């Protein structure tokens, strides 16, 4: 994800931490060593991966996983390309399309978030009830947001850059202006606002208005897909199971690892993140209800690409199909772990 929240930038990054589980009593097996880089400091939005490590799911799939945290000065994709990592997290479709445009030999093999958690947060006094209600407000948008999702807001919903001011991961300008809205993630910034300002903000999720990007891709090198497809499949499957356990099972072990790697995470923050991921269907909704967490589809990839071309974000001559593969998903892995509705 893009680093949109100040509480995410509170700890040092770049640490390489190996979190290994004790050997199980079953027949010993040789585990394949796997290194996985996240795209930010340890947090609830990565919870399924930590859960799979903490509860032994990766080990059950024959994997000895090391998690390498991201951070404000860390580029785990470079480590992936230099073969110091086997997998990393790509924040969204646009990162994958950018890789194709620049001939970077990586590919998305699973989409762990069915909805991008990007939101705008508004004061209750502004009486915002829909996306269009944001147009008269001052909008705090990051430099990363302007050439990406904000271009979609301009072309698809008629927003104007005249209303925009820079967002620098500091909520104070938003808090001082009741006729403003601030970007953020549904899983974190609203919580920080409630804790700091003691009011419940209005939240507008862009995914609910047609911003149909996937998010939190598992990404790997194309050579690993070609030469070690079984390893890729096992990592994807185990991560999917980890996400089911994290959302619907006992996630205390996963959260303990998150807090160990990022002491600024608290139980309250983590509980909030999980609750919002479930409430908004960030991880488990749409195609995942039939095909399992991590699901992707050609149709949705094509639709998002077309939308971004129209918004001027990506070039039409990009072969978007090279950005991902459906080879490792849509197999119904873990569906039995979802509670009955």
């Amino acid at each position: 994800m893009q680093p949109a929240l100040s509480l995410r930038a509170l700890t040092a990054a770049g640490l390489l931490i190996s979190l290994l589980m004790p050997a199980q009593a079953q027949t010993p097996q040789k585990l394949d060593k796997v290194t996985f880089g996240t795209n930010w400091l340890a947090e609830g939005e990565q919870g399924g991966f930590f859960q799979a490590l903490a509860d032994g799911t990766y080990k059950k799939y024959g994997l000895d996983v090391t998690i390498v945290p991201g951070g404000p000065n860390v580029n785990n994709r470079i480590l992936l390309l230099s073969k110091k990592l086997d997998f990393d997290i790509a924040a969204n479709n646009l990162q994958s399309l950018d890789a194709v445009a620049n001939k970077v030999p990586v590919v998305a093999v699973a989409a762990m978030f069915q909805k991008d958690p990007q939101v705008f947060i508004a004061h209750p006094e502004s009486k915002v009830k829909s996306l269009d209600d944001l147009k008269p407000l001052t909008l705090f948008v990051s430099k990363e947001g302007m050439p990406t999702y904000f271009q979609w807001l301009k072309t698809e919903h008629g927003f104007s850059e005249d209303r925009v001011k820079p967002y620098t991961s500091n909520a104070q300008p938003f808090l001082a202006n009741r006729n403003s809205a601030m970007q953020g993630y549904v899983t974190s910034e609203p919580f920080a606002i409630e804790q700091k300002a003691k009011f419940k903000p209005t939240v507008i999720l862009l995914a609910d208005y047609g911003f149909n990007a996937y998010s939190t891709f598992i990404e790997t090198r194309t050579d690993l897909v070609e030469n070690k497809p079984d390893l890729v499949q096992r990592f994807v499957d185990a991560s999917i199971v980890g996400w089911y356990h994290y959302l619907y099972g006992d996630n205390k072990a996963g959260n303990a690892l998150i807090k160990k790697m990022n002491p600024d995470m608290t139980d309250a923050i983590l509980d909030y993140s999980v609750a919002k991921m479930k409430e908004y269907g960030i991880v488990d909704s749409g195609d995942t209800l039939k095909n399992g967490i991590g699901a992707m589809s050609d149709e949705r990839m094509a639709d998002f690409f077309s939308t971004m071309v129209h918004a001027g974000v990506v070039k039409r001559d990009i072969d978007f199909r090279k950005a991902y593969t459906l080879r490792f998903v849509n197999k119904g892995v873990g569906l039995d772990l979802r509670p009955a509705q």
Side-chain angles (χ1 to χ4, degrees), residues 80-81 83 85-86 105-107 219-225:
L80 178 68
L81 293 172
K83 299 188 177 182
L85 295 177
D86 300 301
V106 296
V107 61
E219 182 179 67
T220 190
R221 297 185 306 278
T222 52
D223 70 273
L224 204 61
V225 168

Side-chain angles (χ1 to χ4, degrees), residues 57-308:
T57 296
Y58 283 135
K59 177 167 282 191
K60 290 176 183 177
Y61 280 77
L63 304 173
D64 176 2
V65 174
T66 298
I67 292 183
V68 182
N73 300 308
V74 178
N75 188 331
N76 274 333
R77 180 178 269 179
I78 291 177
L79 296 181
L80 178 68
L81 293 172
S82 64
K83 299 188 177 182
K84 294 180 180 179
L85 295 177
D86 300 301
F87 302 91
D88 73 351
I89 292 176
N92 51 46
N93 300 62
L94 292 174
Q95 284 193 354
S96 298
L97 291 171
D98 182 68
V100 176
N102 290 285
K103 296 181 171 55
V104 179
V106 296
V107 61
V109 294
M112 309 316 285
F113 283 11
Q114 292 298 295
K115 296 181 182 180
D116 192 303
Q118 189 76 57
V119 297
F120 272 104
I121 303 162
H123 291 261
E125 294 89 340
S126 63
K127 301 187 184 305
V128 168
K129 297 185 181 300
S130 69
L131 186 67
D132 281 347
D133 293 337
L134 295 171
K135 292 179 181 178
L137 305 182
T138 297
L139 301 177
F140 291 101
V141 180
S142 69
K143 63 180 181 179
E144 295 84 7
M146 288 304 297
T148 55
Y149 75 81
F150 196 81
Q151 299 309 305
W152 167 81
L153 285 173
K154 286 171 58 180
T155 57
E156 299 294 324
H157 294 279
F159 277 67
S160 171
E161 292 187 14
D162 294 340
R163 309 297 305 178
V164 174
K165 289 188 176 182
Y167 174 70
T168 59
S169 298
N170 179 6
Q172 197 56 45
F174 161 73
L175 294 176
N177 182 355
R178 294 185 178 184
N179 290 313
S180 71
M182 181 187 83
Q183 74 168 47
Y185 287 112
V186 71
T187 48
S188 50
E189 273 82 1
F191 176 86
I193 296 298
E194 288 184 41
Q195 296 299 302
K196 183 174 183 178
K198 307 304 179 185
F199 70 84
K200 187 178 181 63
T202 301
V203 176
I204 300 294
L205 183 71
L206 299 189
D208 288 342
Y209 293 87
F211 189 69
N212 63 339
Y214 291 114
S215 181
T216 310
F217 287 104
I218 296 177
E219 182 179 67
T220 190
R221 297 185 306 278
T222 52
D223 70 273
L224 204 61
V225 168
E226 294 166 358
N227 299 324
K228 294 185 177 181
D230 175 68
L231 181 73
V232 176
Q233 188 69 71
R234 283 184 286 134
F235 184 77
V236 169
D237 289 352
S239 298
I240 289 170
V241 170
W243 271 105
Y244 278 111
H245 288 165
Y246 189 70
L247 290 176
Y248 304 120
D250 183 352
N251 60 18
K252 291 185 178 64
N255 283 340
L257 287 186
I258 292 171
K259 289 185 289 184
K260 180 178 180 180
M261 295 179 74
N262 182 0
D264 290 290
M265 288 292 106
T266 66
D267 288 334
I269 296 170
L270 294 169
D271 289 347
Y272 183 92
S273 294
V274 171
K276 294 305 175 181
M277 283 190 283
K278 293 166 72 172
E279 177 184 346
Y280 285 89
I282 299 298
V283 177
D284 194 14
S285 63
D287 289 341
T288 69
L289 302 181
K290 178 181 178 182
N291 297 329
I293 286 174
M296 299 187 290
S297 74
D298 291 323
E299 295 78 11
R300 186 165 162 189
M301 289 290 192
D303 183 63
F304 182 79
F305 175 71
S306 177
T307 299
M308 291 299 103

